[in-house]
Amino acid sequence: MVKRLAVLGSTGSIGTQTLDIIRKFPDRLSVVGLAAGRNTSLLAQQIAEFGPLLVSAPDSFTSPSTQRLSPEEIATHPEVDIVVIAIPGEAALTSVMAAVSAGKVIALANKESLVSAGDIIIAEAERTGATIRPVDSEHSAIWQCLAGESTPPTRLILTASGGPFRTFSPAELATVSIEDALRHPSWSMGHKVTVDSATLLNKGLEIIEAHHLFRLPFEKIEVVVHPQSIVHSLVEFGDGSLKAQLSQPNMRLPIQYALSYPERWDNLALPRLDLVKTGRLDFEPPDHTRFPCLALAIEAGKSGSTYPAVLCAAGERAVELFLAREIGFTDIASAIEGALMAHKPTTHPLITDVMAAVHWAKETVGETAKKERSYY
Ligand code: MG
């Protein structure tokens, strides 16, 4: 049976790699919906190639004979079997909620939605029977390690590459450039997630994501720095057994698994791992002093309520300001910390409270950066 997919965020890094996988398996996967934001020329090419029934595009886009809908309408459409959510940032939240409320199978590449509104999304998924399949490499690794196990794990260990500044001193960190931050040692990804990998905020967001996806308390989720990015994460069981998933770093593998599950499909375009050539795998503890975003994220996750939404949104705005050369690299962590400290949380937040917290955090970070600039 051909699975009918909607790819929301089809022109981004994950979106285009998802279409690569779909191209490989024309008798198993088909595209019924595409949604994109800015890159309308690439979207036009994708429409010409895949001929989707449903399209979501900005108003400026003049589309051929396809149905023009919002991403939410595509996410809930009865013709769609699997919704791939590759929209970056907080913007994905409404699409994720729509897909979950419609009881869909969701291949989730977006972190921010689950981090910001994990409790709400998981409760809604339990109500509707929606399933969330992780696309993030670490969570896909954990999911793969848990396949076939009936006993819950005792510990999850997320691996982190440590980013390009793993060995930098605090003084060196204060003066790194955008170009330095975008030079990731092992993964090729979008700008936001690459900067988040350099600050380790990405790993902090992934801890919160893992907490929601696998329903484990924060005390049972750890991070280990693994510069080679070959072991994508590990799971420990009560008998002391540790299971890991290994492969060359390549996002197409977790994308494909999220689409092929519970099967695995032969794909020789995915690189094989040569253990002898790899030679060694190193592991070290994360340095919380030089990379404060990790501890900020764990704290926000444990505090719950609207704190994770603030963490995410403040991080998003701070990275925008860094990429616009308005603040320095180490200011990203300070901006997030400032927002978390100033935040007044809502108890038992609804989606509207989460959105309000997101809006507030972005404003706050923007205002603080503006004030600090006026001192010079
Ligand atoms: Mg990841």
Side-chain angles (χ1 to χ4, degrees):
M1 208 186 79
V2 178
K3 291 178 189 170
R4 300 165 302 172
L5 310 189
V7 184
L8 309 185
S10 63
T11 56
S13 170
I14 297 291
T16 53
Q17 294 183 81
T18 302
L19 294 177
D20 287 341
I21 295 296
I22 297 171
R23 244 180 231 117
K24 271 258 159 223
F25 300 99
D27 48 352
R28 290 168 168 165
L29 303 171
S30 73
V31 178
V32 294
L34 291 175
R38 277 183 293 258
N39 195 345
T40 48
S41 58
L42 181 55
L43 177 62
Q45 286 175 34
Q46 294 176 343
I47 292 171
E49 181 182 352
F50 293 99
L53 174 70
L54 322 159
V55 168
S56 171
D59 290 338
S60 58
F61 184 71
T62 42
S63 149
S65 58
T66 40
Q67 234 184 311
R68 291 287 290 277
L69 302 163
S70 69
E72 294 75 29
E73 286 170 309
I74 296 182
T76 57
H77 200 280
E79 293 287 320
V80 174
D81 299 317
I82 303 179
V83 187
V84 180
I85 299 190
I87 298 170
E90 310 289 352
L93 190 51
T94 49
S95 300
V96 174
M97 273 310 287
V100 170
S101 297
K104 294 288 186 188
V105 173
I106 300 149
L108 186 62
N110 173 277
K111 282 192 175 98
E112 288 81 357
S113 48
L114 206 51
V115 172
S116 303
D119 289 331
I120 303 171
I121 291 170
I122 297 298
E124 182 68 356
E126 270 170 8
R127 192 182 70 81
T128 64
T131 51
I132 300 174
R133 300 178 180 177
V135 169
D136 208 346
S137 61
E138 293 78 1
H139 305 84
S140 176
I142 291 169
W143 186 37
Q144 293 178 56
C145 291
L146 291 175
E149 300 285 352
S150 58
T151 316
T154 47
R155 197 160 59 118
L156 306 181
I157 305 172
L158 297 171
T159 53
S161 70
F165 312 132
R166 186 171 54 89
T167 57
F168 278 37
S169 72
E172 287 172 319
L173 279 178
T175 59
V176 298
S177 69
I178 297 169
E179 290 71 22
D180 296 330
L182 292 181
R183 209 172 296 130
H184 195 279
S186 47
W187 285 97
S188 156
M189 304 175 290
H191 280 184
K192 161 76 165 94
V193 63
T194 305
V195 175
D196 283 351
S197 299
T199 60
L200 292 197
L201 174 62
N202 183 55
K203 210 50 54 180
L205 300 180
E206 288 179 354
I207 291 177
I208 302 175
E209 226 185 331
H211 161 78
H212 290 298
L213 282 171
F214 306 109
R215 331 260 164 112
L216 278 190
F218 287 93
E219 290 70 25
K220 292 187 175 177
I221 309 171
E222 290 173 21
V223 170
V224 66
V225 173
H226 167 49
Q228 291 92 351
S229 300
I230 296 292
V231 176
H232 298 305
S233 279
L234 310 93
V235 173
E236 185 197 67
F237 294 94
D239 58 1
S241 186
L242 205 55
K243 278 171 85 176
Q245 187 261 334
L246 286 74
S247 71
Q248 295 277 13
N250 189 313
M251 282 311 293
R252 287 177 183 84
L253 170 54
I255 293 168
Q256 180 176 310
Y257 188 69
L259 303 181
S260 72
Y261 177 85
E263 296 172 1
R264 285 186 186 270
W265 297 340
D266 292 352
N267 184 351
L268 288 171
L270 294 174
R272 308 291 122 155
L273 179 64
D274 184 326
L275 285 175
V276 175
K277 234 181 245 168
T278 305
R280 56 184 280 179
L281 301 171
D282 296 300
F283 301 94
E284 56 190 60
D287 183 335
H288 288 284
T289 322
R290 284 181 304 134
F291 300 101
C293 284
L294 191 53
L296 287 173
I298 295 168
E299 200 49 48
K302 284 182 181 168
S303 304
S305 165
T306 38
Y307 280 111
V310 168
L311 170 87
C312 240
E316 204 169 316
R317 187 77 189 100
V319 170
E320 278 172 16
L321 291 169
F322 170 69
L323 290 173
R325 298 179 203 274
E326 294 195 27
I327 63 171
F329 180 77
T330 46
D331 298 331
I332 296 173
S334 323
I336 296 169
E337 186 173 19
L340 286 171
M341 279 168 56
H343 182 56
K344 303 218 171 12
T346 313
T347 30
H348 307 300
L350 305 170
I351 277 290
T352 46
D353 300 314
V354 171
M355 303 287 249
V358 164
H359 183 75
W360 173 86
K362 289 189 177 180
E363 293 270 293
T364 303
V365 169
E367 284 303 310
T368 316
K370 214 180 288 166
K371 252 179 245 157
E372 272 165 23
R373 269 200 308 283
S374 64
Y375 291 139
Y376 298 112

